[in-house]
Amino acid sequence: MKIYYYNTTDSTNIRAKQLGEEGAPHGTLITAGQQSAGRGRRGRGWESPAGSSVYMSILLRPEIPPVKAPMLTLVMALSVVRSLMECTGLNVQIKWPNDIVIHGKKVCGILTEMSTQMDYINYIVIGIGINVQNESFPEEIGEVATSLRIESGKKQNRAAIIEAVWEEFEKYYDIYLKTEDMQGLVGEYDQKLANMNKQVRVLDPKDPYEGTARGITPKGELIVDTWE
Ligand code: BTN
């Protein structure tokens, strides 16, 4: 496995994509101490100051059809949950599909990006940002964000977390590859699902609706019960 570490970089996902274009192999890991242009989902930014968090991206070259790739984000979510529980002993959960929460507050976000042909994946980059040592958050996000330090009351070792995420991902990735879907992971994923049996709002662009979350399907979709 090849590891790239940057004291400062724009974004580990951008670095990983560049390495992907240059032919870097499956399993390349990129981490940074801080990011000057950290990226979140839906075009948002991801605050990435020095000293507080884990910023890491993994470059993958799976031989699977592009339609199956989004499930890898769920595989990573499960891997992060397992590794954070192992490192901190806290009860860490998933807010479907891939936000990681503790006591309902977000502690980690995952951004998956890919480069594909019609029926072929060039590479996938899974970026993970984990709030580790933060002792507080700006007022705008304090209601919804937390860190391992805040939740555990202790300092946590970032290198140990990166290693644990990597090891857990290797394990769950192998299970995923057997069926190329979530079949072998549904049970564990559902157990860690923060939304389980709770009211959720589905933001269908044409027709948003509410229902009760009942877990995921082997394809990684959330089952929402709208029976009244
Ligand atoms: C989200 O919006 O929830 C996803 C946030 C993902 C942030 C991580 S930090 C490491 C990697 N590099 C980036 O620029 N983004 C991801």
Side-chain angles (χ1 to χ4, degrees), residues 90-194:
L90 293 164
N91 182 22
V92 187
Q93 294 185 302
I94 305 169
K95 198 168 142 207
W96 183 87
N98 56 357
D99 279 351
I100 312 298
V101 298
I102 304 178
H103 296 131
K105 290 185 172 185
K106 182 161 165 173
V107 71
C108 164
I110 301 173
L111 175 66
T112 300
E113 300 182 80
M114 63 176 173
S115 158
T116 57
Q117 313 273 328
M118 279 290 275
D119 55 351
Y120 175 84
I121 296 175
N122 291 330
Y123 59 82
I124 294 182
V125 168
I126 308 182
I128 304 122
I130 307 172
N131 303 330
V132 182
Q133 313 292 25
N134 319 58
E135 294 187 63
S136 62
F137 287 93
E139 209 178 311
E140 329 72 90
I141 57 169
E143 285 292 302
V144 291
T146 192
S147 74
L148 297 178
R149 173 83 188 257
I150 293 170
E151 298 298 327
S152 69
K154 284 189 229 140
K155 277 198 163 190
Q156 302 289 339
N157 181 330
R158 282 179 289 163
I161 291 170
I162 294 171
E163 196 182 328
V165 169
W166 178 258
E167 279 176 16
E168 291 295 327
F169 183 73
E170 275 194 313
K171 195 172 83 194
Y172 287 114
Y173 182 66
D174 282 350
I175 300 174
Y176 163 85
L177 276 189
K178 283 196 188 126
T179 52
E180 297 185 358
D181 66 12
M182 296 298 287
Q183 204 171 298
L185 299 170
V186 166
E188 252 191 273
Y189 189 97
D190 282 355
Q191 255 185 21
K192 301 313 304 166
L193 192 61

Side-chain angles (χ1 to χ4, degrees), residues 10-14 35 37-42 44-46 48 54-57 98-99 106 108-111 113 126-130:
D10 43 4
S11 146
T12 55
N13 266 33
I14 296 177
Q35 303 183 116
R39 295 152 52 126
R41 275 187 293 153
R42 303 199 185 93
R44 295 195 197 114
W46 184 260
S48 306
V54 161
Y55 311 111
M56 64 188 281
S57 300
N98 56 357
D99 279 351
K106 182 161 165 173
C108 164
I110 301 173
L111 175 66
E113 300 182 80
I126 308 182
I128 304 122
I130 307 172

